[in-house]
Amino acid sequence: TGASEAFGGLIARHQGRVFGLLGFLLRDAAEREDVAQEAFLAAWRGLGSFDPARGAFSTWLLAIVRHRAYNALRRPHRSSSAGPEPFADAPPAGAGEIARRLDAALLGLPVEQRLAFLLAEIHGLPLAAVAEIEDVPEGTVKSRLARARDHLRAALRPSLEPRP
């Protein structure tokens, strides 16, 4: 039917960004799948409440994803045995160790800083969109980004310094 095709198109168009975000918020692959499915279904059901005058569809969708991911993080049954999920895009050749350190450093950030960094720096969203997704003022996003960058810089410094 037309509705199922439209839903499939919605998923295809946005799944990369959704799973890229979830990859650094939720460690368990099955939980990421569940949260993505919940978010897409919630978006589909709530399409009538989407107002394009307030922002882009992707921003609205990522706010739903964030909300669902935060709910999953609060669930007591979540698994923490899985390792960090790599970036959706492969790092350049020879950057494997740096990418692993960056993954670990990102996972060491508080979830609010991690999400702000991922949305702004990895997904390239403007600060206003990140603020809308996070439902916080832009100044809060700026301070979260600054703290995240400081932490990441310190964590990666040993990897980037020349060896004697």
Side-chain angles (χ1 to χ4, degrees):
T1 68
S4 62
E5 286 177 23
F7 186 59
L10 177 80
I11 291 171
R13 191 167 33 259
H14 297 284
Q15 70 182 353
R17 186 171 271 181
V18 166
F19 279 100
L21 180 61
L22 290 174
F24 277 103
L25 292 176
L26 304 173
R27 298 179 69 151
D28 181 69
E31 191 169 40
R32 286 191 301 272
E33 290 281 338
D34 289 346
V35 169
Q37 183 177 7
E38 288 173 16
F40 279 120
L41 285 172
W44 182 255
R45 290 181 184 132
L47 275 176
S49 68
F50 170 65
D51 180 4
R54 291 190 59 209
F57 177 80
S58 59
T59 302
W60 179 74
L61 175 61
L62 289 177
I64 293 170
V65 171
R66 177 200 59 89
H67 178 75
R68 300 289 173 151
Y70 280 11
N71 286 344
L73 286 168
R74 286 191 281 270
R75 292 181 199 142
H77 67 279
R78 80 175 208 271
S79 169
S80 61
S81 60
E85 191 67 18
F87 287 116
D89 298 323
E97 179 60 27
I98 293 172
R100 281 188 290 280
R101 286 181 188 245
L102 180 58
D103 287 351
L106 280 167
L107 287 169
L109 290 172
V111 70
E112 295 85 7
Q113 291 176 27
R114 186 181 335 151
L115 184 59
F117 185 84
L118 290 169
L119 291 171
E121 300 296 337
I122 305 300
H123 291 289
L125 294 179
L127 293 179
V130 176
E132 184 179 333
I133 290 167
E134 280 287 282
D135 196 26
V136 297
E138 276 189 55
T140 301
V141 173
K142 287 178 184 179
S143 64
R144 288 177 181 177
L145 281 171
R147 287 192 301 271
R149 287 181 189 122
D150 288 345
H151 175 83
L152 295 172
R153 208 175 286 119
L156 293 175
R157 186 165 288 126
S159 301
L160 301 173
E161 291 175 351
R163 294 187 179 155

